Amino acid sequence: MNTQQLQLPRSIQDITKEITTAHKIGLTLTFLLGLFLFSGTLLQILDPAAGVLDIGMLSVLLFGLLAGLVAVFVSLWLQEILWRPFKYFRKQFFHHFNQLTSWQQCIIYFSVFFLLLYAALYMLKIML
């Protein structure tokens, strides 16, 4: 009598991988986009007396959050494509940042803060 050994397919746990940061970002942006698209309907379900102004303000808030996240992630993506060493630098950022002196760290903190403030004011100028 001959015995044959069947190779069973791998279980699903073997082929699943850990969720990466890119997947988390994609899921977050998809969730925010869905929330933005259905914010009016969701608000009317929660509060039938909600007016058009309430729905508009909620959608502006969600759109601003979505646009800000997309702008940050697109800029990181473009920097990594156009400047390859940035990708390696960003992965070891804390190692490089901790080698700086305290006044250099303060300069970087304040320059990033003021550049973000300037960008936000410029966006407000464009919208208004």
PDB file of all heavy atoms in Angstrom, residues 66-100:
ATOM      1  N   LEU A  66      -8.128  66.799   6.659  1.00  0.00           N
ATOM      2  CA  LEU A  66      -7.747  65.909   5.561  1.00  0.00           C
ATOM      3  C   LEU A  66      -6.701  66.559   4.655  1.00  0.00           C
ATOM      4  O   LEU A  66      -5.708  65.934   4.294  1.00  0.00           O
ATOM      5  CB  LEU A  66      -8.985  65.517   4.765  1.00  0.00           C
ATOM      6  CG  LEU A  66      -8.816  64.503   3.654  1.00  0.00           C
ATOM      7  CD1 LEU A  66      -8.418  63.166   4.239  1.00  0.00           C
ATOM      8  CD2 LEU A  66     -10.100  64.359   2.870  1.00  0.00           C
ATOM      9  N   ALA A  67      -6.910  67.827   4.310  1.00  0.00           N
ATOM     10  CA  ALA A  67      -5.959  68.522   3.435  1.00  0.00           C
ATOM     11  C   ALA A  67      -4.596  68.688   4.109  1.00  0.00           C
ATOM     12  O   ALA A  67      -3.555  68.546   3.460  1.00  0.00           O
ATOM     13  CB  ALA A  67      -6.516  69.887   3.042  1.00  0.00           C
ATOM     14  N   GLY A  68      -4.585  68.963   5.406  1.00  0.00           N
ATOM     15  CA  GLY A  68      -3.318  69.089   6.122  1.00  0.00           C
ATOM     16  C   GLY A  68      -2.540  67.786   6.159  1.00  0.00           C
ATOM     17  O   GLY A  68      -1.331  67.772   5.917  1.00  0.00           O
ATOM     18  N   LEU A  69      -3.221  66.687   6.455  1.00  0.00           N
ATOM     19  CA  LEU A  69      -2.547  65.386   6.468  1.00  0.00           C
ATOM     20  C   LEU A  69      -2.039  64.991   5.092  1.00  0.00           C
ATOM     21  O   LEU A  69      -0.920  64.485   4.950  1.00  0.00           O
ATOM     22  CB  LEU A  69      -3.495  64.312   7.005  1.00  0.00           C
ATOM     23  CG  LEU A  69      -3.758  64.333   8.504  1.00  0.00           C
ATOM     24  CD1 LEU A  69      -4.825  63.315   8.871  1.00  0.00           C
ATOM     25  CD2 LEU A  69      -2.491  64.072   9.267  1.00  0.00           C
ATOM     26  N   VAL A  70      -2.835  65.239   4.080  1.00  0.00           N
ATOM     27  CA  VAL A  70      -2.401  64.906   2.715  1.00  0.00           C
ATOM     28  C   VAL A  70      -1.191  65.745   2.326  1.00  0.00           C
ATOM     29  O   VAL A  70      -0.238  65.221   1.727  1.00  0.00           O
ATOM     30  CB  VAL A  70      -3.565  65.088   1.718  1.00  0.00           C
ATOM     31  CG1 VAL A  70      -3.073  65.080   0.283  1.00  0.00           C
ATOM     32  CG2 VAL A  70      -4.607  64.001   1.917  1.00  0.00           C
ATOM     33  N   ALA A  71      -1.189  67.020   2.691  1.00  0.00           N
ATOM     34  CA  ALA A  71      -0.050  67.880   2.355  1.00  0.00           C
ATOM     35  C   ALA A  71       1.230  67.400   3.033  1.00  0.00           C
ATOM     36  O   ALA A  71       2.304  67.365   2.411  1.00  0.00           O
ATOM     37  CB  ALA A  71      -0.351  69.327   2.753  1.00  0.00           C
ATOM     38  N   VAL A  72       1.141  67.002   4.288  1.00  0.00           N
ATOM     39  CA  VAL A  72       2.325  66.517   5.009  1.00  0.00           C
ATOM     40  C   VAL A  72       2.843  65.227   4.388  1.00  0.00           C
ATOM     41  O   VAL A  72       4.047  65.071   4.128  1.00  0.00           O
ATOM     42  CB  VAL A  72       2.005  66.312   6.513  1.00  0.00           C
ATOM     43  CG1 VAL A  72       3.095  65.529   7.199  1.00  0.00           C
ATOM     44  CG2 VAL A  72       1.799  67.639   7.185  1.00  0.00           C
ATOM     45  N   PHE A  73       1.938  64.285   4.112  1.00  0.00           N
ATOM     46  CA  PHE A  73       2.380  62.995   3.582  1.00  0.00           C
ATOM     47  C   PHE A  73       2.870  63.097   2.144  1.00  0.00           C
ATOM     48  O   PHE A  73       3.819  62.419   1.760  1.00  0.00           O
ATOM     49  CB  PHE A  73       1.269  61.957   3.707  1.00  0.00           C
ATOM     50  CG  PHE A  73       0.968  61.612   5.134  1.00  0.00           C
ATOM     51  CD1 PHE A  73      -0.316  61.625   5.607  1.00  0.00           C
ATOM     52  CD2 PHE A  73       1.986  61.296   6.012  1.00  0.00           C
ATOM     53  CE1 PHE A  73      -0.595  61.330   6.918  1.00  0.00           C
ATOM     54  CE2 PHE A  73       1.724  60.994   7.332  1.00  0.00           C
ATOM     55  CZ  PHE A  73       0.436  61.008   7.781  1.00  0.00           C
ATOM     56  N   VAL A  74       2.279  63.973   1.356  1.00  0.00           N
ATOM     57  CA  VAL A  74       2.759  64.155  -0.020  1.00  0.00           C
ATOM     58  C   VAL A  74       4.130  64.811  -0.010  1.00  0.00           C
ATOM     59  O   VAL A  74       5.006  64.452  -0.805  1.00  0.00           O
ATOM     60  CB  VAL A  74       1.740  64.968  -0.846  1.00  0.00           C
ATOM     61  CG1 VAL A  74       2.341  65.486  -2.136  1.00  0.00           C
ATOM     62  CG2 VAL A  74       0.528  64.112  -1.157  1.00  0.00           C
ATOM     63  N   SER A  75       4.362  65.769   0.898  1.00  0.00           N
ATOM     64  CA  SER A  75       5.679  66.399   0.948  1.00  0.00           C
ATOM     65  C   SER A  75       6.752  65.404   1.387  1.00  0.00           C
ATOM     66  O   SER A  75       7.854  65.389   0.839  1.00  0.00           O
ATOM     67  CB  SER A  75       5.656  67.618   1.876  1.00  0.00           C
ATOM     68  OG  SER A  75       5.448  67.207   3.204  1.00  0.00           O
ATOM     69  N   LEU A  76       6.440  64.550   2.372  1.00  0.00           N
ATOM     70  CA  LEU A  76       7.401  63.515   2.768  1.00  0.00           C
ATOM     71  C   LEU A  76       7.667  62.543   1.623  1.00  0.00           C
ATOM     72  O   LEU A  76       8.811  62.150   1.377  1.00  0.00           O
ATOM     73  CB  LEU A  76       6.892  62.746   3.981  1.00  0.00           C
ATOM     74  CG  LEU A  76       6.968  63.456   5.322  1.00  0.00           C
ATOM     75  CD1 LEU A  76       6.263  62.641   6.391  1.00  0.00           C
ATOM     76  CD2 LEU A  76       8.403  63.713   5.702  1.00  0.00           C
ATOM     77  N   TRP A  77       6.622  62.167   0.933  1.00  0.00           N
ATOM     78  CA  TRP A  77       6.746  61.241  -0.192  1.00  0.00           C
ATOM     79  C   TRP A  77       7.615  61.846  -1.296  1.00  0.00           C
ATOM     80  O   TRP A  77       8.510  61.185  -1.835  1.00  0.00           O
ATOM     81  CB  TRP A  77       5.353  60.896  -0.696  1.00  0.00           C
ATOM     82  CG  TRP A  77       5.304  60.047  -1.899  1.00  0.00           C
ATOM     83  CD1 TRP A  77       5.749  58.773  -2.040  1.00  0.00           C
ATOM     84  CD2 TRP A  77       4.775  60.418  -3.173  1.00  0.00           C
ATOM     85  NE1 TRP A  77       5.510  58.325  -3.306  1.00  0.00           N
ATOM     86  CE2 TRP A  77       4.910  59.310  -4.020  1.00  0.00           C
ATOM     87  CE3 TRP A  77       4.175  61.575  -3.661  1.00  0.00           C
ATOM     88  CZ2 TRP A  77       4.500  59.337  -5.339  1.00  0.00           C
ATOM     89  CZ3 TRP A  77       3.745  61.591  -4.966  1.00  0.00           C
ATOM     90  CH2 TRP A  77       3.916  60.483  -5.786  1.00  0.00           C
ATOM     91  N   LEU A  78       7.381  63.119  -1.629  1.00  0.00           N
ATOM     92  CA  LEU A  78       8.176  63.768  -2.675  1.00  0.00           C
ATOM     93  C   LEU A  78       9.630  63.949  -2.245  1.00  0.00           C
ATOM     94  O   LEU A  78      10.543  63.807  -3.060  1.00  0.00           O
ATOM     95  CB  LEU A  78       7.563  65.120  -3.041  1.00  0.00           C
ATOM     96  CG  LEU A  78       6.311  65.050  -3.898  1.00  0.00           C
ATOM     97  CD1 LEU A  78       5.724  66.440  -4.088  1.00  0.00           C
ATOM     98  CD2 LEU A  78       6.601  64.416  -5.241  1.00  0.00           C
ATOM     99  N   GLN A  79       9.847  64.262  -0.977  1.00  0.00           N
ATOM    100  CA  GLN A  79      11.223  64.397  -0.508  1.00  0.00           C
ATOM    101  C   GLN A  79      11.970  63.077  -0.607  1.00  0.00           C
ATOM    102  O   GLN A  79      13.143  63.051  -0.960  1.00  0.00           O
ATOM    103  CB  GLN A  79      11.245  64.897   0.937  1.00  0.00           C
ATOM    104  CG  GLN A  79      11.003  66.363   1.073  1.00  0.00           C
ATOM    105  CD  GLN A  79      11.017  66.795   2.520  1.00  0.00           C
ATOM    106  OE1 GLN A  79      10.932  65.972   3.426  1.00  0.00           O
ATOM    107  NE2 GLN A  79      11.119  68.084   2.745  1.00  0.00           N
ATOM    108  N   GLU A  80      11.290  61.986  -0.287  1.00  0.00           N
ATOM    109  CA  GLU A  80      11.960  60.690  -0.368  1.00  0.00           C
ATOM    110  C   GLU A  80      12.214  60.280  -1.808  1.00  0.00           C
ATOM    111  O   GLU A  80      13.205  59.611  -2.096  1.00  0.00           O
ATOM    112  CB  GLU A  80      11.134  59.629   0.351  1.00  0.00           C
ATOM    113  CG  GLU A  80      11.180  59.776   1.845  1.00  0.00           C
ATOM    114  CD  GLU A  80      10.345  58.738   2.553  1.00  0.00           C
ATOM    115  OE1 GLU A  80       9.712  57.906   1.875  1.00  0.00           O
ATOM    116  OE2 GLU A  80      10.329  58.758   3.788  1.00  0.00           O
ATOM    117  N   ILE A  81      11.348  60.666  -2.716  1.00  0.00           N
ATOM    118  CA  ILE A  81      11.563  60.330  -4.130  1.00  0.00           C
ATOM    119  C   ILE A  81      12.667  61.193  -4.729  1.00  0.00           C
ATOM    120  O   ILE A  81      13.560  60.699  -5.415  1.00  0.00           O
ATOM    121  CB  ILE A  81      10.258  60.503  -4.928  1.00  0.00           C
ATOM    122  CG1 ILE A  81       9.300  59.369  -4.604  1.00  0.00           C
ATOM    123  CG2 ILE A  81      10.528  60.512  -6.431  1.00  0.00           C
ATOM    124  CD1 ILE A  81       7.959  59.508  -5.273  1.00  0.00           C
ATOM    125  N   LEU A  82      12.618  62.496  -4.469  1.00  0.00           N
ATOM    126  CA  LEU A  82      13.558  63.415  -5.100  1.00  0.00           C
ATOM    127  C   LEU A  82      14.917  63.438  -4.415  1.00  0.00           C
ATOM    128  O   LEU A  82      15.915  63.771  -5.046  1.00  0.00           O
ATOM    129  CB  LEU A  82      12.957  64.829  -5.115  1.00  0.00           C
ATOM    130  CG  LEU A  82      11.666  64.954  -5.922  1.00  0.00           C
ATOM    131  CD1 LEU A  82      11.100  66.352  -5.775  1.00  0.00           C
ATOM    132  CD2 LEU A  82      11.895  64.630  -7.388  1.00  0.00           C
ATOM    133  N   TRP A  83      14.956  63.108  -3.154  1.00  0.00           N
ATOM    134  CA  TRP A  83      16.214  63.150  -2.420  1.00  0.00           C
ATOM    135  C   TRP A  83      16.340  61.878  -1.598  1.00  0.00           C
ATOM    136  O   TRP A  83      15.863  61.793  -0.479  1.00  0.00           O
ATOM    137  CB  TRP A  83      16.261  64.397  -1.543  1.00  0.00           C
ATOM    138  CG  TRP A  83      17.587  64.671  -0.940  1.00  0.00           C
ATOM    139  CD1 TRP A  83      18.797  64.631  -1.546  1.00  0.00           C
ATOM    140  CD2 TRP A  83      17.838  65.030   0.416  1.00  0.00           C
ATOM    141  NE1 TRP A  83      19.789  64.941  -0.660  1.00  0.00           N
ATOM    142  CE2 TRP A  83      19.226  65.198   0.547  1.00  0.00           C
ATOM    143  CE3 TRP A  83      17.031  65.231   1.517  1.00  0.00           C
ATOM    144  CZ2 TRP A  83      19.812  65.553   1.747  1.00  0.00           C
ATOM    145  CZ3 TRP A  83      17.625  65.589   2.710  1.00  0.00           C
ATOM    146  CH2 TRP A  83      19.001  65.744   2.818  1.00  0.00           C
ATOM    147  N   ARG A  84      16.981  60.871  -2.160  1.00  0.00           N
ATOM    148  CA  ARG A  84      17.076  59.544  -1.545  1.00  0.00           C
ATOM    149  C   ARG A  84      17.702  59.549  -0.141  1.00  0.00           C
ATOM    150  O   ARG A  84      17.240  58.833   0.724  1.00  0.00           O
ATOM    151  CB  ARG A  84      17.859  58.588  -2.448  1.00  0.00           C
ATOM    152  CG  ARG A  84      17.198  58.321  -3.748  1.00  0.00           C
ATOM    153  CD  ARG A  84      16.224  57.228  -3.610  1.00  0.00           C
ATOM    154  NE  ARG A  84      15.576  57.005  -4.911  1.00  0.00           N
ATOM    155  CZ  ARG A  84      14.571  56.232  -5.079  1.00  0.00           C
ATOM    156  NH1 ARG A  84      14.076  55.594  -4.060  1.00  0.00           N
ATOM    157  NH2 ARG A  84      14.027  56.085  -6.259  1.00  0.00           N
ATOM    158  N   PRO A  85      18.760  60.329   0.114  1.00  0.00           N
ATOM    159  CA  PRO A  85      19.341  60.281   1.474  1.00  0.00           C
ATOM    160  C   PRO A  85      18.368  60.727   2.562  1.00  0.00           C
ATOM    161  O   PRO A  85      18.528  60.372   3.716  1.00  0.00           O
ATOM    162  CB  PRO A  85      20.529  61.247   1.404  1.00  0.00           C
ATOM    163  CG  PRO A  85      20.892  61.297  -0.027  1.00  0.00           C
ATOM    164  CD  PRO A  85      19.610  61.121  -0.786  1.00  0.00           C
ATOM    165  N   PHE A  86      17.338  61.497   2.201  1.00  0.00           N
ATOM    166  CA  PHE A  86      16.376  61.935   3.207  1.00  0.00           C
ATOM    167  C   PHE A  86      15.651  60.750   3.833  1.00  0.00           C
ATOM    168  O   PHE A  86      15.324  60.772   5.024  1.00  0.00           O
ATOM    169  CB  PHE A  86      15.368  62.906   2.592  1.00  0.00           C
ATOM    170  CG  PHE A  86      14.367  63.421   3.572  1.00  0.00           C
ATOM    171  CD1 PHE A  86      14.726  64.383   4.487  1.00  0.00           C
ATOM    172  CD2 PHE A  86      13.078  62.930   3.601  1.00  0.00           C
ATOM    173  CE1 PHE A  86      13.819  64.852   5.412  1.00  0.00           C
ATOM    174  CE2 PHE A  86      12.161  63.394   4.525  1.00  0.00           C
ATOM    175  CZ  PHE A  86      12.542  64.362   5.432  1.00  0.00           C
ATOM    176  N   LYS A  87      15.411  59.720   3.037  1.00  0.00           N
ATOM    177  CA  LYS A  87      14.720  58.534   3.548  1.00  0.00           C
ATOM    178  C   LYS A  87      15.550  57.870   4.652  1.00  0.00           C
ATOM    179  O   LYS A  87      15.022  57.515   5.706  1.00  0.00           O
ATOM    180  CB  LYS A  87      14.467  57.553   2.412  1.00  0.00           C
ATOM    181  CG  LYS A  87      13.704  56.329   2.807  1.00  0.00           C
ATOM    182  CD  LYS A  87      13.427  55.465   1.597  1.00  0.00           C
ATOM    183  CE  LYS A  87      12.579  54.270   1.956  1.00  0.00           C
ATOM    184  NZ  LYS A  87      12.269  53.451   0.789  1.00  0.00           N
ATOM    185  N   TYR A  88      16.838  57.736   4.428  1.00  0.00           N
ATOM    186  CA  TYR A  88      17.705  57.115   5.428  1.00  0.00           C
ATOM    187  C   TYR A  88      17.898  58.037   6.631  1.00  0.00           C
ATOM    188  O   TYR A  88      17.983  57.582   7.767  1.00  0.00           O
ATOM    189  CB  TYR A  88      19.047  56.740   4.808  1.00  0.00           C
ATOM    190  CG  TYR A  88      18.886  55.849   3.615  1.00  0.00           C
ATOM    191  CD1 TYR A  88      19.231  56.273   2.343  1.00  0.00           C
ATOM    192  CD2 TYR A  88      18.349  54.564   3.749  1.00  0.00           C
ATOM    193  CE1 TYR A  88      19.064  55.459   1.244  1.00  0.00           C
ATOM    194  CE2 TYR A  88      18.181  53.743   2.661  1.00  0.00           C
ATOM    195  CZ  TYR A  88      18.540  54.192   1.410  1.00  0.00           C
ATOM    196  OH  TYR A  88      18.362  53.385   0.330  1.00  0.00           O
ATOM    197  N   PHE A  89      17.968  59.338   6.363  1.00  0.00           N
ATOM    198  CA  PHE A  89      18.116  60.297   7.456  1.00  0.00           C
ATOM    199  C   PHE A  89      16.878  60.301   8.345  1.00  0.00           C
ATOM    200  O   PHE A  89      16.971  60.359   9.565  1.00  0.00           O
ATOM    201  CB  PHE A  89      18.359  61.697   6.898  1.00  0.00           C
ATOM    202  CG  PHE A  89      18.365  62.769   7.942  1.00  0.00           C
ATOM    203  CD1 PHE A  89      19.448  62.917   8.780  1.00  0.00           C
ATOM    204  CD2 PHE A  89      17.289  63.625   8.085  1.00  0.00           C
ATOM    205  CE1 PHE A  89      19.461  63.893   9.749  1.00  0.00           C
ATOM    206  CE2 PHE A  89      17.290  64.602   9.055  1.00  0.00           C
ATOM    207  CZ  PHE A  89      18.379  64.744   9.886  1.00  0.00           C
ATOM    208  N   ARG A  90      15.701  60.229   7.734  1.00  0.00           N
ATOM    209  CA  ARG A  90      14.459  60.258   8.502  1.00  0.00           C
ATOM    210  C   ARG A  90      14.302  59.017   9.377  1.00  0.00           C
ATOM    211  O   ARG A  90      13.769  59.067  10.478  1.00  0.00           O
ATOM    212  CB  ARG A  90      13.260  60.390   7.566  1.00  0.00           C
ATOM    213  CG  ARG A  90      11.962  60.683   8.270  1.00  0.00           C
ATOM    214  CD  ARG A  90      10.865  60.987   7.295  1.00  0.00           C
ATOM    215  NE  ARG A  90      10.605  59.916   6.375  1.00  0.00           N
ATOM    216  CZ  ARG A  90       9.765  58.901   6.620  1.00  0.00           C
ATOM    217  NH1 ARG A  90       9.138  58.837   7.752  1.00  0.00           N
ATOM    218  NH2 ARG A  90       9.569  57.968   5.714  1.00  0.00           N
ATOM    219  N   LYS A  91      14.798  57.874   8.897  1.00  0.00           N
ATOM    220  CA  LYS A  91      14.705  56.652   9.695  1.00  0.00           C
ATOM    221  C   LYS A  91      15.596  56.713  10.931  1.00  0.00           C
ATOM    222  O   LYS A  91      15.303  56.092  11.939  1.00  0.00           O
ATOM    223  CB  LYS A  91      15.077  55.440   8.838  1.00  0.00           C
ATOM    224  CG  LYS A  91      14.007  55.088   7.834  1.00  0.00           C
ATOM    225  CD  LYS A  91      14.378  53.861   7.061  1.00  0.00           C
ATOM    226  CE  LYS A  91      13.263  53.525   6.083  1.00  0.00           C
ATOM    227  NZ  LYS A  91      13.593  52.343   5.280  1.00  0.00           N
ATOM    228  N   GLN A  92      16.701  57.455  10.859  1.00  0.00           N
ATOM    229  CA  GLN A  92      17.612  57.583  11.999  1.00  0.00           C
ATOM    230  C   GLN A  92      17.634  59.021  12.517  1.00  0.00           C
ATOM    231  O   GLN A  92      18.661  59.520  12.963  1.00  0.00           O
ATOM    232  CB  GLN A  92      19.012  57.159  11.594  1.00  0.00           C
ATOM    233  CG  GLN A  92      19.099  55.714  11.161  1.00  0.00           C
ATOM    234  CD  GLN A  92      20.499  55.348  10.713  1.00  0.00           C
ATOM    235  OE1 GLN A  92      21.354  56.204  10.547  1.00  0.00           O
ATOM    236  NE2 GLN A  92      20.728  54.067  10.506  1.00  0.00           N
ATOM    237  N   PHE A  93      16.482  59.685  12.453  1.00  0.00           N
ATOM    238  CA  PHE A  93      16.420  61.102  12.812  1.00  0.00           C
ATOM    239  C   PHE A  93      16.801  61.340  14.270  1.00  0.00           C
ATOM    240  O   PHE A  93      17.559  62.262  14.570  1.00  0.00           O
ATOM    241  CB  PHE A  93      15.013  61.665  12.551  1.00  0.00           C
ATOM    242  CG  PHE A  93      14.858  63.082  12.987  1.00  0.00           C
ATOM    243  CD1 PHE A  93      15.449  64.102  12.269  1.00  0.00           C
ATOM    244  CD2 PHE A  93      14.151  63.403  14.129  1.00  0.00           C
ATOM    245  CE1 PHE A  93      15.316  65.420  12.663  1.00  0.00           C
ATOM    246  CE2 PHE A  93      14.012  64.706  14.537  1.00  0.00           C
ATOM    247  CZ  PHE A  93      14.593  65.718  13.804  1.00  0.00           C
ATOM    248  N   PHE A  94      16.301  60.530  15.187  1.00  0.00           N
ATOM    249  CA  PHE A  94      16.565  60.769  16.604  1.00  0.00           C
ATOM    250  C   PHE A  94      18.047  60.590  16.938  1.00  0.00           C
ATOM    251  O   PHE A  94      18.582  61.304  17.777  1.00  0.00           O
ATOM    252  CB  PHE A  94      15.710  59.844  17.470  1.00  0.00           C
ATOM    253  CG  PHE A  94      14.250  60.174  17.379  1.00  0.00           C
ATOM    254  CD1 PHE A  94      13.372  59.302  16.760  1.00  0.00           C
ATOM    255  CD2 PHE A  94      13.760  61.362  17.886  1.00  0.00           C
ATOM    256  CE1 PHE A  94      12.032  59.613  16.666  1.00  0.00           C
ATOM    257  CE2 PHE A  94      12.434  61.675  17.801  1.00  0.00           C
ATOM    258  CZ  PHE A  94      11.553  60.797  17.187  1.00  0.00           C
ATOM    259  N   HIS A  95      18.703  59.682  16.247  1.00  0.00           N
ATOM    260  CA  HIS A  95      20.143  59.507  16.472  1.00  0.00           C
ATOM    261  C   HIS A  95      20.893  60.771  16.049  1.00  0.00           C
ATOM    262  O   HIS A  95      21.753  61.270  16.776  1.00  0.00           O
ATOM    263  CB  HIS A  95      20.652  58.292  15.699  1.00  0.00           C
ATOM    264  CG  HIS A  95      22.134  58.154  15.689  1.00  0.00           C
ATOM    265  ND1 HIS A  95      22.847  57.812  16.821  1.00  0.00           N
ATOM    266  CD2 HIS A  95      23.044  58.332  14.693  1.00  0.00           C
ATOM    267  CE1 HIS A  95      24.137  57.786  16.520  1.00  0.00           C
ATOM    268  NE2 HIS A  95      24.278  58.086  15.245  1.00  0.00           N
ATOM    269  N   HIS A  96      20.558  61.303  14.863  1.00  0.00           N
ATOM    270  CA  HIS A  96      21.237  62.509  14.380  1.00  0.00           C
ATOM    271  C   HIS A  96      20.849  63.735  15.204  1.00  0.00           C
ATOM    272  O   HIS A  96      21.683  64.596  15.488  1.00  0.00           O
ATOM    273  CB  HIS A  96      20.901  62.753  12.916  1.00  0.00           C
ATOM    274  CG  HIS A  96      21.399  61.682  12.001  1.00  0.00           C
ATOM    275  ND1 HIS A  96      22.735  61.410  11.809  1.00  0.00           N
ATOM    276  CD2 HIS A  96      20.736  60.792  11.219  1.00  0.00           C
ATOM    277  CE1 HIS A  96      22.887  60.417  10.954  1.00  0.00           C
ATOM    278  NE2 HIS A  96      21.673  60.017  10.583  1.00  0.00           N
ATOM    279  N   PHE A  97      19.573  63.815  15.575  1.00  0.00           N
ATOM    280  CA  PHE A  97      19.098  64.983  16.320  1.00  0.00           C
ATOM    281  C   PHE A  97      19.719  65.053  17.710  1.00  0.00           C
ATOM    282  O   PHE A  97      20.040  66.140  18.194  1.00  0.00           O
ATOM    283  CB  PHE A  97      17.577  64.938  16.419  1.00  0.00           C
ATOM    284  CG  PHE A  97      16.975  66.189  16.968  1.00  0.00           C
ATOM    285  CD1 PHE A  97      16.911  67.337  16.196  1.00  0.00           C
ATOM    286  CD2 PHE A  97      16.479  66.229  18.254  1.00  0.00           C
ATOM    287  CE1 PHE A  97      16.363  68.495  16.689  1.00  0.00           C
ATOM    288  CE2 PHE A  97      15.918  67.383  18.754  1.00  0.00           C
ATOM    289  CZ  PHE A  97      15.863  68.518  17.976  1.00  0.00           C
ATOM    290  N   ASN A  98      19.914  63.930  18.351  1.00  0.00           N
ATOM    291  CA  ASN A  98      20.495  63.919  19.699  1.00  0.00           C
ATOM    292  C   ASN A  98      21.988  64.252  19.692  1.00  0.00           C
ATOM    293  O   ASN A  98      22.549  64.571  20.742  1.00  0.00           O
ATOM    294  CB  ASN A  98      20.266  62.573  20.378  1.00  0.00           C
ATOM    295  CG  ASN A  98      18.822  62.384  20.754  1.00  0.00           C
ATOM    296  OD1 ASN A  98      18.098  63.351  20.957  1.00  0.00           O
ATOM    297  ND2 ASN A  98      18.390  61.138  20.833  1.00  0.00           N
ATOM    298  N   GLN A  99      22.631  64.213  18.548  1.00  0.00           N
ATOM    299  CA  GLN A  99      24.040  64.578  18.474  1.00  0.00           C
ATOM    300  C   GLN A  99      24.237  66.093  18.398  1.00  0.00           C
ATOM    301  O   GLN A  99      25.354  66.570  18.545  1.00  0.00           O
ATOM    302  CB  GLN A  99      24.696  63.915  17.261  1.00  0.00           C
ATOM    303  CG  GLN A  99      24.860  62.421  17.410  1.00  0.00           C
ATOM    304  CD  GLN A  99      25.509  61.784  16.205  1.00  0.00           C
ATOM    305  OE1 GLN A  99      25.582  62.389  15.139  1.00  0.00           O
ATOM    306  NE2 GLN A  99      25.989  60.563  16.375  1.00  0.00           N
ATOM    307  N   LEU A 100      23.155  66.841  18.160  1.00  0.00           N
ATOM    308  CA  LEU A 100      23.250  68.295  18.081  1.00  0.00           C
ATOM    309  C   LEU A 100      23.335  68.893  19.473  1.00  0.00           C
ATOM    310  O   LEU A 100      22.905  68.292  20.455  1.00  0.00           O
ATOM    311  CB  LEU A 100      22.034  68.869  17.367  1.00  0.00           C
ATOM    312  CG  LEU A 100      21.826  68.431  15.921  1.00  0.00           C
ATOM    313  CD1 LEU A 100      20.519  68.974  15.402  1.00  0.00           C
ATOM    314  CD2 LEU A 100      22.973  68.877  15.051  1.00  0.00           C
TER     315      LEU A 100
END
